[in-house]
Amino acid sequence: MDESNYLLRARREKLRALEERGLQPYAYRYERSHRSDKARATFEAAESADELGEEGTTEPVRVAGRLLSWRSHGKTAFAHIEDGGGRIQLYFRRNDLGEEPYALLELLDLGDWVGVEGPLFRTRTGEVTVRVAGWQLLSKALRPLPFGKEEVDPETGERVVHSGFSDPQARFRQRYADLAVHPEVREVFRLRSRMVSEIRRFLDARDYLEVETPVLQPIYGGAAARPFTTHHNALDMQLYLRIADELYLKRLIVGGFERVYEIGRDFRNEGIDRSHNPEFTMLEFYEAFADYRDMMQLVEELLSEVARRTTGSEVVRFDGEEIDFTPPFARVGFVEALEEATGVRVLELDDAELRARTEAAVGESMKGLPRGRLLDKLFGAVVEPGLVQPTFVVDYPVELSPLAKLHRDNPRLTERFELFVAGREIANAFSELNDPLDQRQRFEAQVEARQEGDDESHPLDEDYLRAMEYGMPPTGGVGIGIDRLAMLLADRPSIRDVILFPTLRPEEGSAG
RNA sequence: GAGCCGGUAGCUCAGCUGGUAGAGCAACGGACUUUUAAUCCGUAGGUCCUGGGUUCGAUCCCCAGCCGGCUCACCA
């Protein structure tokens, strides 16, 4: 297969030829003087200061990068390399390089890493270019990258890519190749990284303490989801990969840290689609003495600031819509929104009526689901898709929120909000339940729901209850899905577009 | 999970209700001392996803399976 491939063979032969001529095809280092963008800026500065040499050149620079294109014209050749600063053109001349170094260029391939040295000049067509006086191979590529050909539309100035690397599965599986040939993909992940840095900066500036809590947990909790299970050999016990950070972070509030946050990986053993990956990144933050209204304000500030500092604007384009993160965000009651959408007093419906209405709205059987889950499904079907601009949905029914405090004005509701943007849930938050007796009852109700067939209900966590019994101050807590936020800010339609190595079936059988 | 679409050269794709495959780019050989989708001449490159079936003959038609994408539903 690969070993007999003529493309790979040709490159291995070149590798041998290089070695025979005494060239080291895998260098140890290269002393670079400029990144490509800095080199260009240096030339332009010298040019505008009228400090170019007689031939319109600068002092020699040393740049290095991956070979992207090659246009040979006999005794000259043009090429582009790409480095962390972008692309820069190289101009090779036999008269400049000498017979042997010029002849050796024929052993280069697209994808090779090279370092070059030479003065900068501007070509006839106006492009700042290195006039190569010497070059060095830094790493030989033995496998061709799936480069497309590019041209710049002279009318619009847009970059048009011809053919290229577009098979989604191959791009995710070989993300290294995807990144290597798609600068715009690299930019998505730079944006994601900036976003996370801005979140840390925002919370750190408000005296939040970043902490790390267990990923391997003897009892999972903090969300309604099925966990991954694993086994610890020495302890001979079953462990779960966490589905949420929540219960451990609140233990830290009990311990006296007033403001804590964690940005970490959660794992849920559920389906994969364009908004779900089995492992995903969650931000959770908890603040003592705050309630959910305080947290709503904090979330508004956080998101507007993070949007502005990572994209340059509080108004973000997503899927053709303009999403405006300028505070304050819209607020609607869970029950009010549901009643407005259905025209019924949903809390007055008995179980059978509620089930029938939900089944009609969702279009599938809701057999065995408890009231809370029915309300949630109904809400998902009739309200969520309409929530395009950032909207806080507040005050959820108590059945849905086993970790949230009862609403101070209505005991059937809890002090909880979820933030929806572009029809998706981005954040989930409560006035955290800090009454250990109430918490025990809520857990017991969940256990009952589990016995009735709800396999996503919360298990009872005695240690967490013990922590509550030591006393937890009033606390506001928020969870924000980092991947989904990255999708919004980067305007990417699939969670796989913002996860470097999304979960895939292993590469076997007919795949690849 | 359901529906729709797809799997052909390294990459992107053509391939006519059936006669054992083509293009562009990439590769290889050659020409070319300011090009930029460079250009020009030539060469090579294939488990047509897998397994059955129909047929004289299947990339093409039928069945089953595997894999992927999109839409819908759901867990963040």
Side-chain angles (χ1 to χ4, degrees):
Chain A
M1 303 240 278
D2 274 354
E3 288 67 27
S4 64
N5 183 286
Y6 68 101
L7 291 164
L8 303 186
R9 263 205 322 270
R11 289 184 178 225
R12 280 174 195 270
E13 278 160 20
K14 286 184 186 176
L15 179 71
R16 266 200 299 280
L18 285 162
E19 284 166 337
E20 278 165 18
R21 301 204 204 180
L23 267 81
Q24 162 61 268
Y26 297 100
Y28 284 90
R29 69 186 302 277
Y30 188 76
E31 188 73 37
R32 167 168 89 160
S33 70
H34 291 72
R35 217 172 60 177
S36 61
D37 52 339
K38 301 285 194 308
R40 189 172 302 106
T42 298
F43 177 86
E44 281 163 358
E47 186 180 49
S48 54
D50 204 18
E51 287 169 358
L52 293 177
E54 272 182 31
E55 292 189 290
T57 59
T58 61
E59 291 297 299
V61 297
R62 290 169 67 86
V63 295
R66 174 179 265 137
L67 201 54
L68 288 192
S69 65
W70 187 261
R71 296 175 296 282
S72 169
H73 297 265
K75 298 181 183 64
T76 65
F78 287 88
H80 278 95
I81 58 169
E82 186 173 66
D83 66 12
R87 298 173 181 190
I88 192 163
Q89 182 167 255
L90 312 180
Y91 176 46
F92 296 89
R93 262 176 116 236
R94 196 171 70 172
N95 287 1
D96 292 345
L97 279 165
E99 202 76 32
E100 178 71 1
Y102 189 84
L104 283 171
L105 289 173
E106 72 180 22
L107 297 177
L108 291 182
D109 286 298
L110 299 190
D112 290 353
W113 291 86
V114 295
V116 302
E117 178 177 14
L120 296 159
F121 74 111
R122 200 181 276 283
T123 63
R124 234 177 246 168
T125 51
E127 184 163 349
V128 176
T129 300
V130 182
R131 182 162 174 166
V132 178
W135 65 273
Q136 186 184 337
L137 178 60
L138 303 181
S139 181
K140 182 72 194 157
L142 292 181
R143 187 179 289 274
L145 279 165
F147 289 117
K149 281 266 169 175
E150 296 178 3
E151 68 180 325
V152 177
D153 188 317
E155 306 274 310
T156 64
E158 278 176 43
R159 205 163 58 91
V160 185
V161 179
H162 300 267
S163 74
F165 189 41
S166 66
D167 177 60
Q169 189 199 9
R171 290 178 59 182
F172 298 138
R173 213 179 274 296
Q174 299 188 41
R175 181 68 92 182
Y176 35 86
D178 186 31
L179 290 164
V181 304
H182 293 128
E184 67 277 16
V185 174
R186 293 200 294 273
E187 188 46 44
V188 166
F189 289 100
R190 286 207 184 89
L191 183 149
R192 177 178 172 138
S193 178
R194 280 203 304 279
M195 182 189 91
V196 172
S197 297
E198 291 299 338
I199 290 169
R200 284 208 165 89
R201 203 191 48 76
F202 179 94
L203 292 170
D204 292 344
R206 284 163 180 75
D207 284 330
Y208 273 82
L209 184 72
E210 182 170 12
V211 297
E212 295 178 272
T213 64
V215 171
L216 291 175
Q217 303 181 348
I219 301 178
Y220 62 93
R226 289 200 302 275
F228 285 91
T229 61
T230 186
H231 184 262
H232 188 277
N233 289 340
L235 294 176
D236 188 24
M237 68 179 294
Q238 178 161 275
L239 287 170
Y240 301 94
L241 274 62
R242 70 176 170 202
I243 58 172
D245 308 358
E246 171 145 1
L247 300 184
Y248 281 94
L249 291 174
K250 285 194 279 191
R251 284 171 169 98
L252 297 178
I253 298 285
V254 169
F257 292 119
E258 293 183 358
R259 297 178 177 195
V260 295
Y261 75 98
E262 181 165 9
I263 296 174
R265 208 70 61 83
D266 289 350
F267 306 84
R268 299 191 184 174
N269 206 340
E270 289 162 352
I272 298 178
D273 63 28
R274 65 192 226 284
S275 61
H276 297 88
N277 195 63
E279 54 179 305
F280 62 101
T281 303
M282 186 75 122
L283 161 69
E284 293 193 28
F285 52 102
Y286 294 83
E287 177 169 333
F289 315 122
D291 67 8
Y292 77 140
R293 303 217 162 252
D294 299 314
M295 299 318 271
M296 254 186 269
Q297 199 180 331
L298 193 58
V299 166
E300 283 174 340
E301 288 172 22
L302 171 69
L303 292 185
S304 58
E305 187 167 322
V306 167
R308 177 162 37 80
R309 294 180 69 113
T310 56
T311 71
S313 170
E314 292 182 359
V315 181
V316 170
R317 280 194 66 81
F318 179 77
D319 194 21
E321 305 260 11
E322 304 250 304
I323 309 281
D324 189 349
F325 284 102
T326 308
F329 302 165
R331 302 181 185 197
V332 298
F334 179 91
V335 174
E336 288 75 13
L338 203 45
E339 291 184 345
E340 192 179 324
T342 59
V344 204
R345 305 286 306 265
V346 286
L347 293 187
E348 313 301 327
L349 296 173
D350 66 33
D351 289 6
E353 285 174 306
L354 178 61
R355 172 166 293 113
R357 285 191 167 271
T358 305
E359 287 179 344
V362 177
E364 65 186 64
S365 171
M366 295 291 141
K367 225 170 139 210
L369 286 189
R371 280 191 74 83
R373 298 286 306 283
L374 289 174
L375 289 167
D376 194 31
K377 297 251 184 195
L378 186 58
F379 188 86
V382 302
V383 180
E384 282 180 22
L387 302 176
V388 175
Q389 293 303 321
T391 303
F392 289 118
V393 175
V394 302
D395 301 339
Y396 280 64
V398 62
E399 302 93 320
L400 272 174
S401 313
L403 301 166
K405 270 180 99 66
L406 291 183
H407 196 281
R408 59 197 81 180
D409 302 325
N410 183 346
R412 301 179 71 174
L413 302 178
T414 53
E415 296 201 350
R416 172 183 179 186
F417 70 82
E418 291 194 333
L419 176 66
F420 287 87
V421 182
R424 303 136 198 262
E425 184 192 332
I426 293 298
N428 181 24
F430 326 125
S431 295
E432 300 294 340
L433 178 52
N434 62 341
D435 173 344
L437 300 179
D438 187 359
Q439 182 67 76
R440 180 174 293 277
Q441 285 174 7
R442 305 276 197 97
F443 270 141
E444 283 166 355
Q446 289 286 309
V447 170
E448 211 169 295
R450 168 168 301 262
Q451 282 158 359
E452 282 163 16
D454 182 358
D455 62 358
E456 291 183 1
S457 60
H458 299 230
L460 192 147
D461 188 336
E462 279 292 348
D463 179 73
Y464 179 67
L465 289 170
R466 177 167 61 190
M468 288 290 99
E469 288 164 6
Y470 282 120
M472 185 172 93
T475 299
V478 179
I480 294 180
I482 290 295
D483 313 277
R484 290 184 172 183
L485 189 57
M487 288 165 64
L488 276 175
L489 297 186
D491 192 13
R492 303 304 312 168
S494 168
I495 198 166
R496 292 173 159 195
D497 296 331
V498 299
I499 293 176
L500 281 166
F501 298 99
T503 304
L504 298 171
R505 207 175 287 275
E507 188 173 14
E508 274 167 359
S510 62

